């Protein structure tokens, strides 16, 4: 009898600590409204989860704009505003890399990243890429197409582990695969853009910086989420992010978790 009560006490304690942990829901989004995913759908997801805190993929300035500019029509802010209207006590915070957009412009990552991909595409269409480069680029195109098809389905489909694996494959194809093409061809060394400070930067150097920034940005976002989870123990936290970031944030948050939180899916 004594052992039975000891077991019951242990189970009750485990259940208590499980329930008291912060719950994190990482919801991968399509930012703009489309027939299969729009603010009302996201709002219904938020109503189901009933978060205490909503985190937005913006920096502090972007969050101020979110809260002051009523003309913004993106899925996340529209659904978030509807939810906060219904539950005024909801807290909202930014979690993105601070000064993200200006940092990318100042360093020359923007617009060299897109210009480099456009140049690869033009070389591909002109049949000037080497066979190994063709394979790399077609892998990038194929995984991009796979995700575009999934993005036409219901949100459960672009918020599941199988899609996370494709997203990771696609991002690796871009920031590791395409980088090999950029680093191996003289065209990307010879073409330049001018940074805001007047200095030139080659397509090669700009794309290399952007490839590294993908890791830095996601790791920074995960750290920011972690800090908020520590500051608000026992709460439900929803992270609203582009679904291409989901795999990285989940992986990184699991890596740095000290037992403070559990990661859950909105459809469980």
């Amino acid at each position: 009898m004594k052992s039975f009560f000891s077991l019951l006490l242990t189970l009750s304690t485990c259940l208590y600590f499980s329930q008291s942990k912060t719950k994190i829901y990482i919801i991968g989004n399509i930012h703009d409204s489309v027939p299969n995913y729009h603010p009302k759908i996201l709002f219904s997801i938020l109503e189901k989860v009933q978060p205490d805190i909503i985190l937005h993929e913006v920096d502090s300035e972007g969050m101020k704009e979110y809260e002051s500019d009523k003309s913004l029509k993106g899925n996340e802010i529209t659904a978030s505003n509807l939810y906060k209207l219904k539950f005024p006590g909801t807290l909202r915070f930014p979690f993105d890399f601070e000064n993200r957009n200006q940092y990318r412009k100042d360093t020359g990552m923007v617009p060299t990243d897109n210009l480099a991909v456009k140049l690869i595409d033009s070389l591909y269409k002109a049949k000037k890429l080497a066979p190994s480069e063709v394979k790399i680029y077609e892998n990038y195109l194929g995984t991009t197409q796979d995700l575009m098809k999934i993005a036409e389905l219901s949100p459960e489909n672009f918020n599941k582990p199988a899609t996370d694996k494709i997203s990771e494959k696609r991002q690796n194809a871009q920031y590791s695969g395409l980088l090999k093409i950029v680093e191996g061809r003289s065209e990307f060394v010879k073409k330049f853009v001018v940074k805001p400070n007047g200095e030139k930067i080659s397509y090669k150097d700009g794309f290399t910086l952007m490839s590294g920034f993908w890791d830095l940005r996601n790791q920074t976002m995960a750290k920011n989420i972690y800090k908020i989870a520590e500051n608000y123990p026992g709460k439900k936290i929803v992270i609203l992010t582009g679904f291409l970031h989901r795999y990285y944030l989940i992986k990184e948050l699991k890596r740095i978790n000290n037992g403070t939180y559990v990661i859950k899916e909105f459809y469980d």
Side-chain angles (χ1 to χ4, degrees), residues 217-252:
R217 183 184 172 199
N218 282 282
Q219 290 163 12
T220 301
M221 291 197 294
K223 288 177 183 176
N224 291 339
I225 294 167
Y226 177 87
K227 289 175 185 175
I228 294 169
E230 278 204 319
N231 290 336
Y232 294 90
K235 300 296 184 181
K236 285 184 183 178
I237 302 176
V238 159
I239 290 95
L240 298 179
T241 187
F243 77 88
L244 281 174
H245 290 280
R246 216 181 88 100
Y247 80 88
Y248 209 129
L249 294 179
I250 290 173
K251 182 172 63 175
E252 193 66 13

Side-chain angles (χ1 to χ4, degrees), residues 6-96:
S6 297
L7 177 62
L8 186 61
L9 179 61
T10 301
L11 290 173
S12 299
T13 302
C14 291
L15 180 61
Y16 169 77
F17 282 113
S18 173
Q19 290 175 337
S20 66
K21 281 186 178 181
T22 300
K23 296 178 178 63
I24 292 179
Y25 298 79
I26 302 176
I27 302 178
N29 290 271
I30 300 167
H31 296 310
D32 297 321
S33 181
V34 289
N36 65 295
Y37 194 68
H38 47 74
K40 287 185 179 179
I41 292 175
L42 179 53
F43 174 65
S44 69
I45 293 172
L46 293 175
E47 274 194 309
K48 178 185 175 183
V49 175
Q50 293 199 2
D52 304 294
I53 301 169
I54 298 174
L55 304 187
H56 284 276
E57 189 191 314
V58 292
D59 61 9
S60 57
E61 285 302 312
M63 196 70 221
K64 289 177 185 176
E65 184 181 356
Y66 262 21
E67 292 177 335
S68 62
D69 189 347
K70 303 303 180 184
S71 67
L72 295 175
K73 302 296 183 184
N75 283 333
E76 293 99 316
I77 187 56
T78 304
S80 176
N81 283 341
L82 289 170
Y83 184 81
K84 188 165 175 61
L85 191 64
K86 185 171 182 178
F87 301 98
T90 306
L91 299 176
R92 299 194 294 189
F93 300 109
F95 71 94
D96 208 340

